[in-house]
Amino acid sequence: MNIKPLLCYWRPKDIPEVLKGIEEIPCDKIFCNYMKYPYNYTISREFFLSNPDYTHYIALPNDLVPTRQVYDTLINHIKEKDYPIISGVCNVDTGDKKDYINITKYLPELEYDKRIYHWVSKNKHPNTVMQVPWAGFPFMFIRRDIVEKIPFAKIPFKVNERPIWETRGGFGGDLAFAHSCKFYNVPIMVDTGCSMLHLRFHGEMLIGKKPPSIEFLKYEDNASHESKEQVCCM
């Protein structure tokens, strides 16, 4: 199976640990720098879909530290099982929820007043590949046909709830994506052995302080560097 992923990094902050982790990932990358939501979703998705050589969209949130080991493991899972979606896991935060991982027992509601995240303890399902109703976007590999079917920033059915970039307390892109997967009966798989560090609440928000831009980094095999190209400024 030919697998050619594109790592899509949604970057509103400059977190050194995250940027260092990204350097170790051996694939092409696009950085959506300092953009307001939902442009990080829509622009990276459009770039991915306009380049048909890419087989998988890798969703990387701003504060997650990816590793080469997790990348290699998830690639092997795809080679063996061709999962439509598979990701690793991470700590919910570095505070009182540090011992819980970013998967839930039930799919949280879109409606803010009813929305509850029933987090799962990191010791509950060690080293297990399992289906979950919601997982955020923790270094998530999404197969091309799923990216074509599911826009990240929209709900594919009629709903009165609005996204967070339109209203306070609205739903985020990860929650919209999970509800879309349920609607289309697309399983979300995670490998709980692929644990990464989530630096939630770390770093300074730079949207509005630095100019938004898009950077494309071409991975070069057997090279010690990547070629960087600024696709455009906004």
Side-chain angles (χ1 to χ4, degrees), residues 9-28:
Y9 179 42
W10 311 322
R11 180 187 183 183
K13 303 176 181 181
D14 293 337
I15 301 178
E17 296 91 335
V18 177
L19 297 172
K20 179 64 176 177
I22 291 173
E23 290 179 1
E24 305 301 319
I25 306 304
C27 69
D28 292 355

Side-chain angles (χ1 to χ4, degrees), residues 54-221:
Y54 294 122
T55 60
H56 293 76
Y57 178 112
I58 306 177
L60 183 64
N62 74 91
D63 49 10
L64 184 73
V65 182
T67 70
R68 175 63 185 270
Q69 182 179 358
V70 169
Y71 175 89
D72 289 343
T73 300
L74 296 177
I75 287 286
N76 286 333
H77 284 321
I78 293 169
K79 289 179 178 178
E80 293 173 1
K81 299 289 187 178
D82 192 24
Y83 292 116
I85 298 172
I86 189 165
S87 74
V89 297
C90 63
N91 51 298
V92 173
D93 60 27
T94 55
D96 60 354
K97 296 182 179 64
K98 67 182 184 301
D99 293 326
Y100 293 88
I101 55 177
N102 63 306
I103 60 176
T104 57
K105 298 177 182 178
Y106 313 104
L107 179 60
E109 297 286 344
L110 288 170
E111 186 176 347
Y112 183 72
D113 291 340
K114 298 179 180 179
R115 192 182 309 158
I116 300 174
Y117 290 83
H118 296 275
W119 304 115
V120 175
S121 169
K122 66 180 181 181
N123 298 319
K124 181 71 173 179
H125 303 285
N127 300 312
T128 303
V129 177
M130 57 186 291
Q131 183 175 346
V132 297
W134 181 90
F137 283 127
F139 206 39
M140 180 176 282
F141 283 67
I142 309 170
R143 204 171 59 196
R144 171 169 282 272
D145 60 309
I146 307 304
V147 179
E148 291 171 346
K149 179 181 292 187
I150 301 178
F152 297 137
K154 296 180 181 179
I155 300 291
F157 50 87
K158 188 174 182 180
V159 60
N160 292 327
E161 300 303 310
R162 306 309 306 157
I164 199 168
W165 46 87
E166 292 183 9
T167 182
R168 184 177 180 84
F171 58 80
D174 53 2
L175 191 55
F177 185 76
H179 277 268
S180 298
C181 288
K182 180 181 179 181
F183 179 81
Y184 287 116
N185 197 29
V186 177
I188 299 174
M189 307 299 296
V190 300
D191 183 344
T192 63
C194 290
S195 182
M196 293 163 286
L197 177 61
H198 181 203
L199 294 173
R200 190 180 185 189
F201 307 128
H202 288 237
E204 177 187 3
M205 185 62 67
L206 298 173
I207 295 174
K209 298 180 180 180
K210 286 190 174 184
S213 65
I214 305 169
E215 288 181 320
F216 175 68
L217 287 76
K218 179 70 175 178
Y219 178 75
E220 299 178 4
D221 290 331

